[in-house]
């Protein structure tokens, strides 16, 4: 959802992969993010990447910053892929105005698809940085990718505001621990 820091999280991943020598392509879809709408960031990386398109069933890893978004985007995850989701539900605007209803049994559906649920907001607050939920999720993501912890930390140091570096590094470490 707009304002959750998905773009920064994507930048950290893209920088980490690029610094590791991989070809990286990034696509961001902001939609109605200024009004609480969905934001999608697709990052493809490898020896050679032609496109940033992600078709259904092709994502190795999916990170969702909110539970309903995880359910909405699960079709992109390939069989055997890894899904990390912030264990938080934000009531969408159509539900708030009475034009839609919430999905039933969100936690059960997430369990059924093998989601690794992370209490990212709580972890970020415990790390001393309530706004670092995104970096907590980057920490969880880092457990599924072949980059060294130091490479992730270098990217964090270069992408977050200087006065927040230590809190973000702590949020990253706690996100890794939660996913492991």
């Amino acid at each position: 959802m707009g304002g959750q820091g998905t773009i920064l999280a994507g930048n950290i991943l893209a920088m980490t992969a690029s610094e590791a020598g991989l070809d990286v392509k990034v696509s961001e879809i902001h939609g109605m993010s200024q009004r609480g709408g969905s934001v999608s960031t697709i990052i493809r990386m490898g020896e050679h990447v032609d496109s940033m398109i992600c078709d259904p069933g092709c994502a190795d890893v999916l990170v969702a910053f909110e539970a309903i978004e995880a359910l909405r985007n699960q079709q992109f995850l390939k069989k055997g892929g890894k899904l990390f989701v912030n264990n938080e539900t934000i009531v969408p605007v159509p539900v708030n105005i009475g034009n839609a209803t919430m999905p039933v049994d969100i936690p059960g559906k997430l369990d059924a698809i093998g989601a690794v649920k992370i209490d990212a907001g709580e972890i970020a607050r415990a790390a001393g940085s309530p706004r670092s939920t995104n970096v907590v999720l980057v920490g969880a993501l880092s457990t599924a990718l072949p980059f060294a912890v130091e490479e992730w930390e270098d990217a964090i140091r270069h992408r977050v505001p200087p006065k927040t570096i230590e809190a973000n590094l702590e949020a990253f470490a706690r996100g890794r621990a939660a996913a492991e």
Side-chain angles (χ1 to χ4, degrees):
M1 306 295 280
Q4 290 186 296
T6 58
I7 293 173
L8 174 61
N11 287 337
I12 292 169
L13 170 56
M15 178 179 268
T16 301
S18 180
E19 290 295 318
L22 296 178
D23 185 17
V24 179
K25 301 283 189 280
V26 178
S27 172
E28 297 169 347
I29 301 169
H30 300 257
M32 296 293 288
S33 62
Q34 294 299 315
R35 299 183 186 197
S38 292
V39 176
S40 296
T41 302
I42 298 167
I43 301 168
R44 298 213 36 203
M45 58 191 153
E47 293 298 317
H48 177 76
V49 179
D50 288 320
S51 169
M52 73 285 284
I53 302 296
C54 180
D55 292 322
C58 80
D60 295 310
V61 182
L62 177 67
V63 179
F65 284 48
E66 190 272 339
I68 294 173
E69 290 298 315
L71 296 176
R72 187 177 321 198
N73 289 287
Q74 68 179 321
Q75 80 260 10
F76 292 103
L77 194 62
K78 75 178 188 180
K79 187 173 175 81
K82 194 88 167 184
L83 170 60
F84 297 99
V85 59
N86 183 12
N87 200 19
E88 174 184 18
T89 302
I90 297 172
V91 178
V93 172
V95 172
N96 276 332
I97 62 173
N99 289 343
T101 59
M102 290 291 284
V104 178
D105 190 21
I106 295 168
K109 288 178 180 175
L110 290 172
D111 289 340
I113 58 176
V116 177
K117 294 184 277 188
I118 307 289
D119 290 319
E122 182 178 312
I123 292 168
R125 286 186 293 281
S129 182
R131 295 189 60 180
S132 296
T133 299
N134 56 345
V135 180
V136 170
L137 291 168
V138 168
L141 167 66
S142 74
T143 65
L145 296 174
F147 308 118
V149 170
E150 296 78 22
E151 293 172 307
W152 289 100
E153 291 172 341
D154 285 346
I156 291 167
R157 283 186 189 94
H158 286 94
R159 298 302 305 163
V160 302
K163 68 181 181 179
T164 69
I165 290 172
E166 291 309 314
N168 276 290
L169 290 174
E170 180 66 21
F172 172 80
R174 289 180 184 227
R176 273 187 68 82
E180 292 175 331

